Amino acid sequence: MANVAVIGTQWGDEGKGKIVDWLSERADIVVRFQGGHNAGHTLVIDGKEYKLSILPSGTVRSGKLSIIGNGTVVDPFHLISEINTLREQGVEISPRNLMVSETATLILPIHAQVDKARELLRGSGKIGTTGRGIGPAYEDKIARRAIRIADLSNVAILEEKIEQIVNWHNIFLKASGEEAVLARSILEQLKPIIPEILSYTGRSWEVLGAAHISGKRVLFEGAQGVMLDIDHGTYPFVTSSNTVAAQAATGSGTGPSNIHFTLGITKAYTTRVGEGPFPTEDFAEDGQRMGEKGREFGTVTGRKRRCGWFDAVMVRQAGLMAGITGMALTKLDVLDGFKTLKICVGYEVDGKKITYFPADTQSQINCVPIYEEMPGWSETTYGARSWADLPANAVKYIRRLEELTQIPVALLSTSPEREDTILVKDPFIAS
């Protein structure tokens, strides 16, 4: 049996929720290994909709252990709120089926204040952050002043660390005309929820080590997408963590040899939320049509997503950087009815043709897509459960994407319903 890491190959919002839920039913343990509550998954199970942002998708499945790994940043107030929301929907959550790594970093209220203030000061140069404190919390982690979950067990140390964090961030808040934050205020907010947070705390590395020895299946669940990776994405318009598969090991406390298959979730077209370069963005009728048919609004923020044609150059690059084994192609049905489909096969930058996504910001902005056109299909692909159910031109489109990205399709999703999935290669079955 194989352990599987699931990541997005584009700018997030590729439809990971359904695929991860489909896989989590077959897993014993589901681990979130990076990001915070800025990411969102919408799961539809037996007609009931669940919206998750920090909790792993396995939480809504009975008999699974869900782990929030050390590579995440955790807003403790949001975590409890999300737990309570799911409980109201009938989901059983307790320390028996949810663990939070003792070395995960905390997001404090001051982090969100700093995040929002910075974005306002950037004006037209804003990055597009969700304002939830993710970036400032990761900054504190790297600067070695962060509060980790384990620190909640010692109030004296906790108070000292909060004081240090508040003193640092208040410098910026005061300089930008914002009201300074009192350390005592944050401590008093935290105290009532500390016992509940600590009840979920554990050593994720130890649990995953035992799981490896006993041969349990582990699903590593990523957030966002490769092109939002802090190192490999469209910097500075990126998230504050590594989103590639290698982070699944680092961010959960296991070795890379314990991850056997990397599944890259890939939308059949391209979308992006917020600011940043987007070479294949379509501002005309086709882009509008994709957005309407695909219901392209963020799960967490509700922000409208920008839409455009499939960028094979970007996905191929993501596959090489992240070591993607197979692709899960989603939302193919959104392209039903298009007379002609476009695929980006290269860019022209300042008169020069290139077949990679450039690293420098100005070249990214100057990328003009070079398109290859293919005939669309008038038949529906919605709900298809076998290759025989797909129109011939849809199959040709899929095969061409495989050729251009050099990533074979392992799964094909044809609707939000989990049963509407065509399985080509089971990621959990080792080759």
Side-chain angles (χ1 to χ4, degrees):
M1 295 301 168
N3 295 331
V4 179
V6 176
I7 62 174
T9 65
Q10 296 153 311
W11 281 296
D13 308 308
E14 298 96 348
K16 289 188 287 293
K18 172 195 164 174
I19 302 298
V20 170
D21 174 56
W22 190 87
L23 291 168
S24 68
E25 190 178 40
R26 308 150 81 92
D28 300 301
I29 301 173
V30 183
V31 187
R32 265 290 302 274
F33 59 83
Q34 51 79 217
H37 64 301
N38 56 338
H41 289 336
T42 299
L43 309 181
V44 180
I45 301 173
D46 297 328
K48 199 168 185 177
E49 190 173 80
Y50 303 93
K51 293 183 182 295
L52 308 179
S53 54
I54 186 60
L55 289 172
S57 296
T59 309
V60 299
R61 291 278 173 194
S62 62
K64 315 292 178 185
L65 173 62
S66 292
I67 297 176
I68 297 175
N70 56 275
T72 63
V73 284
V74 180
D75 181 326
F77 304 100
H78 176 87
L79 175 61
I80 289 176
S81 174
E82 193 169 325
I83 288 172
N84 289 337
T85 297
L86 288 184
R87 281 176 175 162
E88 290 170 4
Q89 292 183 277
V91 179
E92 293 184 14
I93 303 176
S94 75
R96 291 189 300 274
N97 66 347
L98 175 65
M99 173 184 288
V100 183
S101 171
E102 62 183 0
T103 54
T105 294
L106 281 182
I107 300 173
L108 301 177
I110 194 171
H111 290 131
Q113 289 176 257
V114 169
D115 206 357
K116 292 171 184 174
R118 285 180 183 171
E119 193 73 340
L120 284 173
L121 286 176
R122 290 186 183 108
S124 60
K126 61 184 180 179
I127 291 175
T129 172
T130 59
R132 292 170 183 261
I134 312 298
Y138 272 118
E139 287 177 32
D140 282 350
K141 176 180 179 176
I142 298 303
R144 293 167 289 187
R145 60 173 168 262
I147 294 170
R148 306 200 292 182
I149 296 289
D151 295 325
L152 294 174
S153 61
N154 188 314
V155 175
I157 291 176
L158 178 62
E159 186 171 12
E160 182 181 318
K161 289 196 168 189
I162 292 176
E163 191 75 41
Q164 182 185 16
I165 287 173
V166 165
N167 288 342
W168 174 261
H169 289 297
N170 272 341
I171 296 172
F172 170 79
L173 289 175
K174 290 176 182 177
S176 59
E178 299 288 326
E179 190 173 338
V181 174
L182 297 175
R184 172 61 59 179
S185 173
I186 293 177
L187 182 61
E188 291 306 313
Q189 290 178 66
L190 277 173
K191 278 182 177 178
I193 65 171
I194 285 176
E196 184 173 359
I197 296 295
L198 287 178
S199 72
Y200 295 106
T201 304
R203 296 180 293 276
S204 58
W205 60 268
E206 189 173 51
V207 171
L208 291 174
H212 176 64
I213 293 170
S214 61
K216 290 185 176 180
R217 288 177 169 180
V218 182
L219 178 64
F220 298 89
E221 176 184 355
Q224 289 99 24
V226 172
M227 299 313 292
L228 289 175
D229 185 279
I230 188 68
D231 288 306
H232 304 293
T234 49
Y235 190 90
F237 303 98
V238 292
T239 193
S240 299
S241 61
N242 288 109
T243 61
V244 293
Q247 180 63 21
T250 304
S252 58
T254 192
S257 61
N258 292 336
I259 301 168
H260 311 109
F261 193 103
T262 299
L263 185 67
I265 314 299
T266 309
K267 195 175 285 185
Y269 48 104
T270 310
T271 62
R272 178 166 198 167
V273 172
E275 308 302 318
F278 185 173
T280 64
E281 183 171 9
D282 190 292
F283 298 95
E285 184 180 336
D286 286 339
Q288 181 74 15
R289 183 177 172 184
M290 291 175 198
E292 290 173 357
K293 287 191 68 178
R295 298 171 63 187
E296 296 295 352
F297 294 91
T299 299
V300 172
T301 63
R303 291 187 295 179
K304 184 178 179 181
R305 297 175 187 141
R306 300 152 63 189
C307 298
W309 298 105
F310 190 92
D311 192 331
V313 178
M314 186 175 73
V315 174
R316 174 181 170 272
Q317 189 162 317
L320 291 172
M321 290 189 299
I324 294 170
T325 318
M327 181 195 308
L329 192 65
T330 65
K331 290 200 167 186
L332 181 68
D333 57 288
V334 173
L335 299 181
D336 291 353
F338 279 85
K339 186 176 180 180
T340 302
L341 302 175
K342 296 179 182 179
I343 305 172
C344 177
V345 296
Y347 310 116
E348 185 175 310
V349 181
D350 301 326
K352 180 183 177 182
K353 293 183 179 180
I354 60 174
T355 55
Y356 60 90
F357 199 76
D360 68 284
T361 303
Q362 192 57 52
S363 293
Q364 290 176 358
I365 293 170
N366 293 344
C367 276
V368 177
I370 300 170
Y371 285 120
E372 176 182 296
E373 294 189 353
M374 294 188 69
W377 53 88
S378 57
E379 310 94 320
T380 183
T381 61
Y382 189 91
R385 297 186 183 181
S386 72
W387 288 102
D389 295 332
L390 297 174
N393 282 349
V395 175
K396 291 177 182 177
Y397 179 73
I398 295 166
R399 295 306 185 204
R400 186 56 179 151
L401 298 189
E402 289 181 310
E403 291 175 356
L404 291 169
T405 62
Q406 299 175 6
I407 306 171
V409 169
L411 289 160
L412 180 65
S413 171
T414 57
S415 91
E417 297 298 325
R418 66 188 309 279
E419 292 80 9
D420 295 335
T421 304
I422 300 173
L423 177 63
V424 181
K425 161 67 180 173
D426 190 337
F428 279 121
I429 304 299
S431 299

